[in-house]
Amino acid sequence: MIKQVGAIVRDVVEALILAIILFLVLRVGVQSTVVEGASMHPNFIDGEWVLVNKLAYKWHEPARGEVIVFSAPDEPEKDYIKRIVGLSGETVQISSGQLRIDGVLLEEPWLPVLDQRAFGPFTVPAGHVFVMGDNRPQSNDSRSWSEPELPIDRVVGKVWISVWPLDTWGFVESDRPSPANADNSG
């Protein structure tokens, strides 16, 4: 009888320790974020719930096309979600709705909603990225800020999985639309 109670106690303690370790790993490595507004429409919708990989940039540098969550330059207590379009050392210029990186027209398979605002040329400093929303006319992004560059140390992480609503469920790829817009990619 005492052996059975001891085995049960040991199993409960092991389960608790495992749960605490799992909780801490998830807390350090993953954050949930809710998309607010229309700046990333149609690829991300208002109220969409995504999981952010907070450790993504511990192992590699940010890449063009990746969707990130970051502390907003104009509202530090708020997180924004945008897409990286310009990397350190690159020159970004927008004219007639066309985005050019170092003078070359950028192909954007994520199907952004374009606008006609001109911007640049602007060279992204080292340790920074240039970000834009997919719904350009509705986006408060690098083009709007007093300092267009976003310091990489303000990046919370890379958007990893869309989890809600259920029709958006899936991994978020940087080179194609999110599941919410997959039917409109043709």
Side-chain angles (χ1 to χ4, degrees), residues 84-134:
I84 297 172
V85 295
L87 303 171
S88 296
E90 295 181 333
T91 299
V92 177
Q93 185 167 13
I94 305 163
S95 61
S96 302
Q98 301 294 310
L99 173 59
R100 295 184 184 281
I101 303 295
D102 294 334
V104 177
L105 183 64
L106 180 65
E107 288 187 39
E108 299 181 88
W110 44 83
L111 303 173
V113 177
L114 303 176
D115 70 6
Q116 298 301 311
R117 281 188 285 173
F119 179 87
F122 174 78
T123 301
V124 182
H128 295 75
V129 292
F130 190 94
V131 298
M132 294 175 70
D134 291 353

Side-chain angles (χ1 to χ4, degrees), residues 43-58:
N43 297 316
F44 295 87
I45 58 174
D46 186 35
E48 185 171 345
W49 180 29
V50 296
L51 295 181
V52 177
N53 177 350
K54 293 171 34 177
L55 302 175
Y57 300 122
K58 303 289 185 216

Side-chain angles (χ1 to χ4, degrees), residues 45-50 161-171 178-183:
I45 58 174
D46 186 35
E48 185 171 345
W49 180 29
V50 296
I161 299 174
S162 176
V163 295
W164 188 262
L166 290 178
D167 63 338
T168 67
W169 173 262
F171 289 100
S178 76
N181 194 38
D183 293 337

Side-chain angles (χ1 to χ4, degrees), residues 1-165:
M1 177 77 165
I2 294 178
K3 277 187 165 185
Q4 290 175 337
V5 171
I8 291 171
V9 169
R10 185 187 75 232
D11 289 347
V12 169
V13 169
E14 286 175 357
L16 284 173
I17 290 171
L18 182 60
I20 290 169
I21 290 170
L22 186 59
F23 171 79
L24 291 173
V25 166
L26 288 175
R27 187 78 175 153
V28 168
V30 178
Q31 172 180 313
S32 66
T33 299
V34 176
V35 176
E36 292 181 21
S39 74
M40 292 299 288
H41 185 80
N43 297 316
F44 295 87
I45 58 174
D46 186 35
E48 185 171 345
W49 180 29
V50 296
L51 295 181
V52 177
N53 177 350
K54 293 171 34 177
L55 302 175
Y57 300 122
K58 303 289 185 216
W59 294 288
H60 74 85
E61 294 294 314
R64 185 180 345 281
E66 291 178 338
V67 179
I68 61 171
V69 170
F70 57 93
S71 173
D74 54 352
E75 298 178 77
E77 69 287 348
K78 189 171 186 176
D79 286 343
Y80 281 3
I81 178 172
K82 303 290 180 213
R83 190 177 300 273
I84 297 172
V85 295
L87 303 171
S88 296
E90 295 181 333
T91 299
V92 177
Q93 185 167 13
I94 305 163
S95 61
S96 302
Q98 301 294 310
L99 173 59
R100 295 184 184 281
I101 303 295
D102 294 334
V104 177
L105 183 64
L106 180 65
E107 288 187 39
E108 299 181 88
W110 44 83
L111 303 173
V113 177
L114 303 176
D115 70 6
Q116 298 301 311
R117 281 188 285 173
F119 179 87
F122 174 78
T123 301
V124 182
H128 295 75
V129 292
F130 190 94
V131 298
M132 294 175 70
D134 291 353
N135 183 359
R136 306 269 164 84
Q138 301 293 315
S139 183
N140 177 7
D141 55 36
S142 286
R143 300 167 300 155
S144 311
W145 307 327
S146 60
E147 295 180 8
E149 66 272 16
L150 174 68
I152 292 173
D153 63 6
R154 292 189 80 121
V155 175
V156 173
K158 178 181 172 183
V159 176
W160 177 39
I161 299 174
S162 176
V163 295
W164 188 262

